Amino acid sequence: MQYLSAFCNGFCCMFFLAEGLYFYKRREKKRLYKTTAVIFFIWFALLLKDMFYSVDSFIDSERVYRSMLLLDMSVVFTCSFYAMDLLKPKYFTMRGALMHVVPYFAGLCVYAATGWEWIYYAIFAACVVYSIVILAMMIKWMGEYMRAAESYYSDVETVDVGWLSKVIVLFLIVFAVWGALMMFNDYSALLDTFYYMLILAVWGLISYRTKRQRQISEEAVAVVEEMASVSGSREVPMDFSKEVELLFGERQIARNPQLTMAEVVKMIGTNRNYFSLYLNNKLNVNFYDFINGYRLKYAEELLRSPECNLSQEDIAQQVGFNSISTFRRAFQKKYGMTPKKYRTMALQGFLSPSE
């Protein structure tokens, strides 16, 4: 089992090195790629040092062993920095990152130099508290991020960050296994192997999603911030009903899967503040649901037509959905049944329009 553990360690090192190089070479495309590259290189270095745990003289030195445990715990910062750069890119800066890590590594250096036990436990406790706070903040940021996306984009599939929920669960398991390893000074090879497999799973998922993730624009974030500033306002929003009907009566507008609020307000001839107030305070919908409402209306008309011989995939694409799965979920949510069942019942005369 010791050989299997060593093999997994080596495989993990190669994975992090290869992925780090991949993102580093493409760092000019997105800032998130640069952050991800640095994180992968840090994990590579930390996993590479694990080979020293097999050296008996290294394990016998408690101060060095504990210092390495504290060094391992610093990976919490890599997780938080990734979340910040993805969910809060406007506020994530190098200066801010240093304010997170400098106090931690200063304390680690003091412990490594003095061996004072109370410093070790204080750093350990501070890291646990930091992890809990970051976890809570991540959940909050994810909600804000998706609200911004749905307030600005008509298609949120490419910017969706729901996958981070799986990452959070996996990381909780990773830290639980790491904690178990820390308590077993006799070195459990089986548990260590499981730990490396978990690391591969969680960072493999992050790498896969990062390569496909499209971050929301600063303008999308600004829409939510502006709406939050007037959330308690009793101001009666302007009525754009006529302009909206004229615009979307052409049907081609909503069929653009990349449609954004910026394009709509430009065509209507207003600004995003007034239009956001109109959607939120008068219609009680966000931009994403507003546009999808028209798309589903067009899809309903096609499904009810006996002359329509289009597949569900073709209908989804024609009305403006980027994927069949998104179309089906939206349709099921609004009509309480699948598009196929709706068409069958409509053609048999069991449904009236817009039911």
Side-chain angles (χ1 to χ4, degrees):
M1 189 57 71
Q2 292 278 6
Y3 293 110
L4 179 59
S5 174
F7 172 80
C8 289
N9 174 265
F11 189 84
C12 280
C13 285
M14 293 308 298
F15 166 78
F16 281 103
L17 179 60
E19 289 298 296
L21 290 171
Y22 173 91
F23 286 110
Y24 183 76
K25 289 178 180 178
R26 293 159 178 81
R27 64 190 182 280
E28 300 301 329
K29 292 184 178 181
K30 299 178 186 177
R31 193 183 74 166
L32 182 61
Y33 279 14
K34 183 177 181 180
T35 302
T36 306
V38 173
I39 290 172
F40 272 99
F41 288 144
I42 290 172
W43 275 80
F44 165 72
L46 289 174
L47 287 170
L48 194 63
K49 76 157 181 31
D50 283 358
M51 65 178 65
F52 292 107
Y53 284 119
S54 60
V55 180
D56 291 338
S57 60
F58 180 86
I59 296 293
D60 289 341
S61 175
E62 185 177 23
R63 185 192 303 184
V64 175
Y65 179 72
R66 284 184 169 183
S67 296
M68 289 301 172
L69 289 180
L70 292 178
L71 189 61
D72 281 339
M73 288 190 73
S74 68
V75 298
V76 170
F77 297 110
T78 66
C79 303
S80 66
F81 293 162
Y82 178 87
M84 289 179 196
D85 203 11
L86 173 60
L87 303 174
K88 289 286 185 182
K90 181 179 178 182
Y91 303 102
F92 180 63
T93 63
M94 180 59 70
R95 182 180 179 182
L98 289 175
M99 289 178 66
H100 284 249
V101 300
V102 169
Y104 182 86
F105 282 102
L108 194 159
C109 291
V110 170
Y111 172 76
T114 63
W116 293 338
E117 214 170 77
W118 68 270
I119 294 182
Y120 169 76
Y121 288 115
I123 298 172
F124 192 92
C127 196
V128 170
V129 172
Y130 178 88
S131 302
I132 295 171
V133 171
I134 287 296
L135 178 61
M137 293 303 295
M138 275 186 66
I139 296 172
K140 179 177 179 288
W141 292 339
M142 286 169 62
E144 292 174 348
Y145 185 96
M146 288 312 299
R147 281 196 296 275
E150 292 174 353
S151 297
Y152 188 79
Y153 297 100
S154 64
D155 172 48
V156 297
E157 187 174 2
T158 56
V159 296
D160 184 32
V161 291
W163 57 273
L164 279 177
S165 299
K166 298 177 183 178
V167 169
I168 290 173
V169 172
L170 284 172
F171 263 125
L172 289 175
I173 298 173
V174 166
F175 290 132
V177 174
W178 180 85
L181 279 169
M182 183 188 68
M183 290 187 294
F184 292 119
N185 290 328
D186 59 346
Y187 184 78
S188 173
L190 180 61
L191 199 58
D192 212 41
T193 301
F194 182 54
Y195 173 71
Y196 290 132
M197 292 173 66
L198 279 173
I199 290 175
L200 279 175
V202 67
W203 283 106
L205 174 60
I206 291 174
S207 175
Y208 174 82
R209 297 301 308 211
T210 301
K211 293 169 185 175
R212 288 154 180 79
Q213 185 72 37
R214 182 165 66 98
Q215 288 180 280
I216 59 175
S217 65
E218 290 188 8
E219 188 172 5
V221 176
V223 169
V224 174
E225 291 177 347
E226 289 167 3
M227 287 308 302
S229 66
V230 297
S231 60
S233 173
R234 296 185 179 182
E235 178 183 350
V236 179
M238 297 177 66
D239 193 343
F240 295 102
S241 302
K242 292 181 179 179
E243 291 86 346
V244 165
E245 287 304 318
L246 285 172
L247 181 63
F248 289 93
E250 300 176 8
R251 302 193 178 189
Q252 296 302 320
I253 303 300
R255 289 172 177 171
N256 173 14
Q258 306 303 326
L259 188 66
T260 65
M261 179 182 284
E263 295 171 288
V264 172
V265 298
K266 184 177 180 180
M267 287 183 279
I268 289 177
T270 183
N271 63 52
R272 67 192 186 200
N273 246 357
Y274 290 139
F275 193 66
S276 293
L277 280 170
Y278 169 72
L279 293 180
N280 288 270
N281 292 6
K282 193 172 184 67
L283 301 185
N284 295 315
V285 295
N286 55 44
F287 182 74
Y288 174 73
D289 289 332
F290 171 72
I291 298 300
N292 277 347
Y294 281 95
R295 290 171 176 165
L296 292 172
K297 178 183 176 182
Y298 305 153
E300 179 191 6
E301 292 174 2
L302 290 172
L303 290 168
R304 296 183 66 84
S305 173
E307 290 78 26
C308 179
N309 57 2
L310 297 174
S311 66
Q312 288 187 41
E313 288 81 359
D314 290 335
I315 291 176
Q317 185 175 15
Q318 193 168 110
V319 302
F321 285 96
N322 258 334
S323 71
I324 181 63
S325 58
T326 304
F327 168 59
R328 284 173 177 160
R329 282 196 303 270
F331 196 93
Q332 177 90 33
K333 181 180 178 180
K334 181 174 180 179
Y335 297 99
M337 64 185 78
T338 63
K340 182 179 180 181
K341 184 177 180 181
Y342 184 92
R343 177 169 174 79
T344 300
M345 295 184 68
L347 293 179
Q348 291 175 354
F350 294 121
L351 294 176
S352 58
S354 300
E355 184 171 337

